[in-house]
Amino acid sequence: MKQYKFILSGGGTGGHIYPAIAIANELKSRFPDAEFLFVGAKDKMEMQKVPQAGYKIIGLWIAGLQRRLTFDNTLFPIKLISSLLKSRTIIRNFKPDVVVGTGGFASGPLLQIAAIAGIPTVIQEQNSYPGITNKLLSKNADKICVAYENLERFFPINKMILTGNPVRQDLIDIDSKREEALQYFNLDPNKQTLLVLGGSLGARRVNQLIAKEILTFAAHNIQVIWQCGKLYFDEYKRIEENGNIQIHSFIDRMDLVYAAADIVISRAGASSVSELCIVGKPVIFIPSPNVAEDHQTKNAQTIVDKKGALLLKESELDSQFSVVFESLVKDPEKQKQLSKNIKQLALPEATKQIVDEIVKLIR
């Protein structure tokens, strides 16, 4: 049997890295003898997270253009040429059967060189509004696996397959883990639990909101698990002294924290949205306004339009948060309806379907 070789590229944020790792794991389960190589951006989080998952990674000297005039922007053409040349060397030496890109700046040069070399390429687009890298790459990609409907205005319709986003398989049946989760996080089973997720790095505005609303949560007898991000952990750790609140820089057991949660406040990155559809908890999305094309708001809006979640913009937090949050906490029927509706939007077989499409290209 042929020993296949796969290159995967995606990074910058957990939303690009973890889907790539999930795809690699599924490929590895089908082709145990296959060889894998990841390509990321130097000094980004994938350079740590990918080796922790057991895969080799090579870093490119690449970064995106800043929205304002900076010295780094003047280096962009040099970085791009450097990354294209290094990608050509990687492709030539590794000789992959397929190259898969899950987004992030490193995937641009790599997939472009792979396409020029005639190697099949697959794009996995997580968002409801694609980034510029994937829009440019789509012209030469063989397949484009998308997580949302109605992306024909961005991608060639004959290349698109609706698969959903890869998610951790341990999230599929969290209801059975409720008891274990309450013990793991040392929670009171007689209190509602609020889970706050700000993304892998944290979210300043969300953190400021939670710190301000601690007395509100206490008044409703709510216990809080707050993932504030590593950038903010030292700033907020002391708040734990108030009781009924746990603060984490990062949460390893996402299956258990979702199982413990009754209500979730979250950013609206693509991976988070896909996970929350699968776990089916009532959600208040607070999208980051600081991302390209405001895609987090668009991600959240697709769920809200189908009555599967609530949405608050950062600009509305001071005036609207207390009203929206209290109306949800006091209305168990509303919580049940949101849970039911968001769960109907889940695509739990995404990873397998994406790998099915990859396999079609090599057989």
Side-chain angles (χ1 to χ4, degrees):
M1 184 177 176
K2 175 178 165 60
Q3 184 184 22
Y4 292 107
K5 292 185 172 187
F6 301 103
I7 293 183
L8 297 100
S9 180
T13 68
H16 294 313
I17 299 165
Y18 296 119
I21 291 171
I23 293 167
N25 289 343
E26 176 65 20
L27 282 166
K28 195 171 187 178
S29 73
R30 299 195 199 186
F31 306 104
D33 296 328
E35 202 173 334
F36 293 87
L37 177 65
F38 278 68
V39 176
K42 283 182 179 177
D43 303 323
K44 295 295 183 180
M45 65 186 292
E46 59 263 31
M47 302 307 292
Q48 284 79 45
K49 298 298 181 185
V50 169
Q52 286 171 9
Y55 296 100
K56 181 183 176 184
I57 186 167
I58 294 174
L60 302 179
W61 187 42
I62 187 71
L65 285 166
Q66 305 296 311
R67 296 184 187 182
R68 60 193 186 281
L69 189 62
T70 65
F71 175 70
D72 281 346
N73 277 353
T74 65
L75 291 175
F76 179 76
I78 301 168
K79 290 181 178 182
L80 180 59
I81 292 167
S82 165
S83 296
L84 287 166
L85 292 172
K86 190 164 183 179
S87 294
R88 188 171 68 176
T89 302
I90 291 168
I91 295 287
R92 189 180 291 160
N93 292 343
F94 192 75
K95 299 182 175 62
D97 293 286
V98 177
V99 177
V100 181
T102 59
F105 299 113
S107 65
L110 186 79
L111 267 74
Q112 184 65 29
I113 293 296
I116 291 169
I119 294 163
T121 61
V122 176
I123 293 171
Q124 195 270 314
E125 173 55 61
Q126 295 107 34
N127 291 295
S128 59
Y129 195 98
I132 188 168
T133 301
N134 279 353
K135 281 191 274 192
L136 292 171
L137 292 172
S138 67
K139 297 176 179 62
N140 296 319
D142 292 272
K143 304 220 172 170
I144 305 163
C145 297
V146 299
Y148 293 91
E149 298 171 338
N150 306 316
L151 296 188
E152 297 84 6
R153 65 193 189 280
F154 304 114
F155 298 137
I157 192 167
N158 60 316
K159 296 181 180 182
M160 277 197 306
I161 306 101
L162 179 65
T163 58
N165 281 322
V167 296
R168 309 162 221 256
Q169 291 305 293
D170 58 5
L171 302 183
I172 302 298
D173 180 29
I174 60 162
D175 291 344
S176 65
K177 301 179 181 180
R178 175 81 174 180
E179 201 63 42
E180 180 188 357
L182 293 174
Q183 291 179 8
Y184 184 87
F185 287 102
N186 195 27
L187 296 167
D188 184 341
N190 299 312
K191 292 181 179 180
Q192 279 191 300
T193 300
L194 169 67
L195 170 62
V196 182
L197 300 171
S200 50
L201 298 177
R204 176 179 292 279
R205 190 65 187 88
V206 174
N207 288 340
Q208 289 172 341
L209 171 75
I210 301 306
K212 175 171 160 267
E213 296 292 340
I214 282 172
L215 293 179
T216 301
F217 304 140
H220 289 288
N221 203 25
I222 290 171
Q223 53 199 349
V224 182
I225 300 177
W226 175 11
Q227 185 255 312
C228 67
K230 65 179 183 181
L231 298 179
Y232 303 97
F233 183 69
D234 289 341
E235 181 179 350
Y236 291 106
K237 175 68 177 169
R238 59 181 173 74
I239 294 177
E240 280 192 332
E241 296 167 8
N242 293 340
N244 269 4
I245 186 160
Q246 298 179 29
I247 301 175
H248 302 263
S249 61
F250 187 81
I251 298 171
D252 291 313
R253 291 299 305 270
M254 289 303 296
D255 58 328
L256 294 186
V257 83
Y258 280 131
D262 296 295
I263 295 172
V264 181
I265 293 173
S266 177
R267 283 302 205 197
S271 293
S272 296
V273 173
S274 295
E275 288 182 358
L276 288 163
C277 287
I278 284 173
V279 302
K281 299 295 172 88
V283 185
I284 299 173
F285 284 119
I286 303 175
S288 169
N290 307 312
V291 292
E293 312 289 355
D294 196 22
H295 67 246
Q296 284 205 8
T297 299
K298 296 179 175 78
N299 291 346
Q301 194 63 53
T302 60
I303 308 299
V304 173
D305 288 345
K306 294 178 181 175
K307 297 181 169 51
L310 304 177
L311 168 62
L312 279 172
K313 295 183 177 179
E314 283 195 355
S315 58
E316 301 170 334
L317 292 180
D318 290 334
S319 61
Q320 296 294 315
F321 177 78
S322 294
V323 175
V324 171
F325 182 75
E326 289 186 24
S327 69
L328 182 59
V329 169
K330 293 177 179 177
D331 192 343
E333 195 53 45
K334 186 175 186 178
Q335 293 177 35
K336 281 184 194 172
Q337 198 58 50
L338 287 173
S339 293
K340 179 183 173 186
N341 292 347
I342 195 171
K343 199 147 195 173
Q344 288 174 346
L345 304 176
L347 294 166
E349 297 296 314
T351 311
K352 291 177 182 174
Q353 289 182 24
I354 292 164
V355 170
D356 286 345
E357 296 301 324
I358 295 169
V359 170
K360 288 176 188 174
L361 292 173
I362 61 177
R363 286 189 165 166

